[in-house]
Amino acid sequence: MPAIQHTVVDSPYDPLTLVAVDGVLSRLHMTGQRHRPPEETFGEPDPRPFGEVIRQLDAYFAGELTAFELPLNLIGTPFQLRVWEQLLRIPYGETRTYGELAEELGSPGASRAVGLANGKNPVGIIVPCHRVIGASGGLTGYGGGLDRKQRLLAFESGTAEPDALF
């Protein structure tokens, strides 16, 4: 049976719940997030597995870190895992459309499937699903809410100061 632990940390986007499976980050949940599983699945409260995750999140929110370097234990279908891996390749401050991601995955007709996989991303912010926009350039769905998505994109593009996120 895998060991599951969680901790809650403050962020400019309300508290974030971090969940580790066997000591490796597996999920990051925002308050009010779509597809947030029941809290009973978060395991025992224990901050020990999350020291480096918290350090990197703090550096990111301080504007000092543009790429996370963390081991992740992502659980999903093979297609979801491919989409989430592709999300990790979107540079800080840049965006891609669902169609562009589908093309990059070698499945140009799969933009809708990419969108569904993007919406099931279990580690928001760190796996930057907020960097995916609609074909017209507009903001589309985000499990953490469109307001958070807009604020994350503004922060990363340099049009919002970290303090303005609180």
Side-chain angles (χ1 to χ4, degrees), residues 101-112:
L101 281 177
E103 293 261 345
E104 291 168 5
L105 288 166
S107 302
S111 60
R112 187 172 178 86

Side-chain angles (χ1 to χ4, degrees), residues 64-161:
E64 300 164 356
L65 181 78
T66 59
F68 292 93
E69 293 184 22
L70 295 166
L72 299 172
N73 183 2
L74 302 177
I75 300 166
T77 68
F79 184 76
Q80 287 171 331
L81 293 170
R82 286 182 53 220
V83 170
W84 301 336
E85 181 65 33
Q86 200 64 35
L87 294 174
L88 290 166
R89 295 187 177 118
I90 304 172
Y92 180 92
E94 294 185 21
T95 58
R96 298 287 186 276
T97 66
Y98 297 100
E100 288 170 333
L101 281 177
E103 293 261 345
E104 291 168 5
L105 288 166
S107 302
S111 60
R112 187 172 178 86
V114 165
L116 292 171
N118 192 57
K120 296 280 187 162
N121 172 19
V123 185
I125 300 173
I126 293 170
V127 177
C129 54
H130 61 277
R131 296 180 188 157
V132 183
I133 58 174
S136 67
L139 298 185
T140 57
Y142 181 60
L146 287 180
D147 178 60
R148 281 190 187 118
K149 181 173 187 166
Q150 183 175 22
R151 290 169 46 208
L152 281 164
L153 291 173
F155 169 62
E156 289 188 2
S157 71
T159 59
E161 293 298 317

Side-chain angles (χ1 to χ4, degrees), residues 5-89:
Q5 299 105 352
H6 79 277
T7 195
V8 178
V9 297
D10 288 329
S11 86
Y13 302 96
D14 300 319
L16 302 175
T17 302
L18 308 175
V19 179
V21 175
D22 291 331
V24 180
L25 184 66
S26 181
R27 298 181 306 202
L28 181 155
H29 300 292
M30 298 175 202
T31 303
Q33 174 182 337
R34 249 184 314 160
H35 307 298
R36 182 181 169 115
E39 291 192 21
E40 307 82 71
T41 67
F42 295 173
E44 296 297 316
D46 185 352
R48 289 178 295 173
F50 304 102
E52 183 60 16
V53 176
I54 293 167
R55 188 193 70 70
Q56 288 191 35
L57 282 168
D58 287 346
Y60 170 80
F61 293 129
E64 300 164 356
L65 181 78
T66 59
F68 292 93
E69 293 184 22
L70 295 166
L72 299 172
N73 183 2
L74 302 177
I75 300 166
T77 68
F79 184 76
Q80 287 171 331
L81 293 170
R82 286 182 53 220
V83 170
W84 301 336
E85 181 65 33
Q86 200 64 35
L87 294 174
L88 290 166
R89 295 187 177 118

